[in-house]
C-alpha cells in the first residue's frame, strides 16, 4: 500500500500566551477530554490541541503524573529484585525514575535531551538531599549524597551511552522510559552498554490508537515494512512489541554471539489498557544458536 505524506489542512496559528495558560490550567486539574478541549479552543483542530498538550505536559513535568506512583513502585520492585550497582536512565526527564534507581544503585548515569529539564532535575536532587558538585567543563552534571552519585548528561541518549562506552563504564541495567518509542535506538544502546537487564516503556500504543500506520510500519522491525499492521488491538500490539524488542536485540550485532536474547520477566500497565502505556522488564542473556532464536521468534509470530 502506498502511503501519502501527512500534511496540514489548515493554516498554522501560533498559540498565544493566554491560550497556553488556559490549556496548562486545564491539564493541571483535568484529564484529557477531546470534546471539552475543542469547546475551549473551537478554532483549533484536534491534532493541534493534542500536539500542544503533549508539549506542555513534557515541559511542565505533567506527563504521566496520573500513573507516576504506579511506575515508581514498579521501578522500586525491579530495583529490589535486581539490585543493580550501575544504571543508565536514558530519558531521565525531571528525574523521577532516576531517584528511585539510586535508592538501590551506587551510581546512576542519566541523560536528557531537553536543556530546560536541568532545573527540574536539580530541584528533584535537592529534595532528595543530593548536592550538585562543580565539574568544571565536564559534559556531565554530578549530584552526590554520601557514597551515591548521579551523573546527568544534557544531550542525546546515544551520545551519552557512547561516552560511557569509551570510558569503559560497566552498566548493569538500562531504563528506556519515554512517551514515544525507543525501538530504533535499542540495538545501539544494547551494543554500547551490554547491560544485564532492560526496563522499557512502550509509548507506541499512542501510534496504534491514532492509527499512525506510517509510524508502526517503521517501528515494528520484525514485520514487513510494506504491509499495514492495522487494525490491531491492545493484546496483539503487546505481543507485537515483545517480538519487535526481541528481534531488535537479536539483530543488534553482525554476529549472533555478540547480540542479545531478551527474556520478558515482568510488566505493568501505566494508565490502563485503554489509554495507557506498557512498562516491561527483560533479563538480558546471550542468544543460543541463530537457528534456535529464529525458530522461537517465528513460532511467536506464527501463533500470535
Amino acid at each position: 500500500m502506498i502511503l501519502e505524506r501527512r500534511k496540514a489542512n489548515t493554516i498554522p496559528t501560533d498559540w498565544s500566551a493566554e491560550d497556553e495558560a488556559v490549556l496548562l490550567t486545564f491539564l493541571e486539574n483535568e484529564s484529557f477530554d477531546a470534546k471539552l478541549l475543542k469547546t475551549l479552543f473551537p478554532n483549533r483542530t484536534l491534532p493541534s490541541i493534542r500536539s500542544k498538550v503533549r508539549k506542555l505536559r513534557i515541559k511542565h513535568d505533567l506527563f504521566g503524573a496520573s500513573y507516576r506512583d504506579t511506575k515508581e513502585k514498579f521501578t522500586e520492585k525491579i530495583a529490589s529484585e535486581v539490585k543493580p550497582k550501575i544504571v543508565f536512565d536514558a530519558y531521565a526527564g525531571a528525574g523521577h525514575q532516576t531517584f528511585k534507581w539510586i535508592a538501590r544503585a551506587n551510581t546512576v548515569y542519566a541523560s536528557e535531551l531537553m536543556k530546560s529539564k536541568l532545573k527540574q532535575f536539580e530541584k528533584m536532587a535537592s529534595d532528595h538531599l543530593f548536592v550538585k558538585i562543580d565539574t568544571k567543563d565536564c559534559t556531565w552534571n554530578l549530584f552526590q549524597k554520601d557514597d551515591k552519585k548521579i551523573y546527568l548528561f544534557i544531550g542525546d541518549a546515544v551520545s551519552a551511552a557512547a561516552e560511557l562506552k569509551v570510558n569503559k563504564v560497566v552498566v548493569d541495567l538500562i531504563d528506556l522510559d519515554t512517551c514515544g518509542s525507543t525501538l530504533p535506538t535499542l540495538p545501539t544502546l544494547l551494543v554500547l552498554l551490554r547491560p544485564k537487564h532492560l526496563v522499557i516503556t512502550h509509548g507506541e500504543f499512542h501510534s496504534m490508537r491514532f492509527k499512525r500506520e506510517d509510524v508502526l510500519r517503521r517501528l515494528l522491525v520484525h514485520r514487513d515494512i510494506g504491509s499495514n499492521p492495522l487494525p490491531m488491538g491492545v493484546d496483539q500490539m503487546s505481543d507485537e512489541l515483545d517480538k519487535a524488542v526481541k528481534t531488535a536485540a537479536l539483530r543488534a550485532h553482525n554476529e549472533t554471539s555478540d547480540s542479545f536474547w531478551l527474556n520478558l520477566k515482568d510488566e505493568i500497565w501505566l494508565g490502563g489498557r485503554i489509554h495507557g502505556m506498557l512498562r516491561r522488564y527483560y533479563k538480558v542473556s546471550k542468544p543460543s544458536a541463530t537457528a534456535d532464536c529464529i525458530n522461537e521468534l517465528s513460532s511467536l509470530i506464527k501463533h500470535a
Side-chain angles (χ1 to χ4, degrees), residues 27-32 57 61-72 96 269-272 275-277:
L27 296 176
E28 289 174 335
N29 296 282
E30 306 287 345
S31 58
F32 185 89
R57 280 176 169 170
D61 195 27
L62 299 175
F63 200 95
S66 62
Y67 51 72
R68 187 166 291 155
D69 288 345
T70 302
K71 182 190 290 187
E72 290 179 351
H96 294 284
W269 278 97
L270 307 174
H275 302 290
M277 302 188 293

Side-chain angles (χ1 to χ4, degrees), residues 27-287:
L27 296 176
E28 289 174 335
N29 296 282
E30 306 287 345
S31 58
F32 185 89
D33 186 319
K35 291 183 178 179
L36 185 53
L37 286 170
K38 277 291 292 178
T39 302
L40 287 174
F41 305 102
N43 297 323
R44 292 197 173 275
T45 64
L46 192 54
S48 171
I49 295 172
R50 282 198 180 109
S51 176
K52 179 56 69 171
V53 165
R54 181 178 182 275
K55 291 175 182 177
L56 287 180
R57 280 176 169 170
I58 293 174
K59 179 179 180 180
H60 295 279
D61 195 27
L62 299 175
F63 200 95
S66 62
Y67 51 72
R68 187 166 291 155
D69 288 345
T70 302
K71 182 190 290 187
E72 290 179 351
K73 287 178 181 178
F74 184 75
T75 299
E76 290 172 340
K77 176 185 177 183
I78 301 305
S80 178
E81 293 174 358
V82 172
K83 298 179 176 60
K85 293 182 179 179
I86 299 180
V87 173
F88 178 58
D89 187 4
Y91 304 92
H96 294 284
Q97 303 312 306
T98 304
F99 288 93
K100 294 302 176 182
W101 290 121
I102 197 62
R104 283 283 182 175
N106 298 328
T107 306
V108 174
Y109 293 91
S111 65
E112 172 51 48
L113 187 61
M114 294 178 62
K115 294 180 180 179
S116 60
K117 288 293 178 182
L118 177 57
K119 288 187 177 180
Q120 295 175 5
F121 197 97
E122 289 175 339
K123 182 181 184 306
M124 187 75 67
S126 177
D127 291 344
H128 286 80
L129 305 180
F130 276 76
V131 177
K132 187 175 183 180
I133 308 299
D134 185 5
T135 54
K136 305 299 181 183
D137 296 328
C138 181
T139 55
W140 295 80
N141 296 274
L142 172 59
F143 303 87
Q144 187 168 355
K145 182 174 75 172
D146 300 327
D147 60 343
K148 292 183 178 288
K149 296 180 180 180
I150 298 174
Y151 293 89
L152 175 64
F153 181 92
I154 300 297
D156 179 67
V158 172
S159 298
E163 285 205 16
L164 297 180
K165 171 69 172 179
V166 169
N167 288 284
K168 299 180 180 180
V169 175
V170 178
V171 171
D172 298 308
L173 180 149
I174 62 176
D175 185 357
L176 307 181
D177 179 34
T178 179
C179 57
S181 176
T182 60
L183 288 174
T185 57
L186 176 59
T188 303
L189 294 173
L190 288 174
V191 167
L192 288 174
L193 300 178
R194 307 194 72 82
K196 302 180 184 69
H197 309 274
L198 166 70
V199 178
I200 184 170
T201 301
H202 287 295
E204 295 90 351
F205 285 91
H206 297 316
S207 297
M208 179 199 75
R209 296 178 186 112
F210 296 149
K211 296 180 172 57
R212 289 297 305 273
E213 175 191 346
D214 55 336
V215 175
L216 295 178
R217 280 169 64 167
R218 183 177 76 91
L219 295 178
L220 299 179
V221 296
H222 64 292
R223 296 178 62 109
D224 176 7
I225 197 170
S227 64
N228 183 4
L230 299 172
M232 188 186 299
V234 171
D235 289 335
Q236 184 184 352
M237 184 64 175
S238 301
D239 291 339
E240 295 291 339
L241 289 170
D242 182 46
K243 299 163 199 169
V245 166
K246 289 176 176 176
T247 302
L250 181 62
R251 291 172 171 169
H253 196 277
N254 288 342
E255 299 292 336
T256 297
S257 59
D258 291 318
S259 288
F260 310 88
W261 187 252
L262 302 182
N263 296 287
L264 179 59
K265 295 295 185 180
D266 203 351
E267 65 181 28
I268 192 167
W269 278 97
L270 307 174
R273 293 166 58 86
I274 303 301
H275 302 290
M277 302 188 293
L278 186 60
R279 186 157 165 84
R280 283 172 160 165
Y281 159 56
Y282 288 89
K283 182 174 176 54
V284 183
S285 61
K286 286 188 175 183

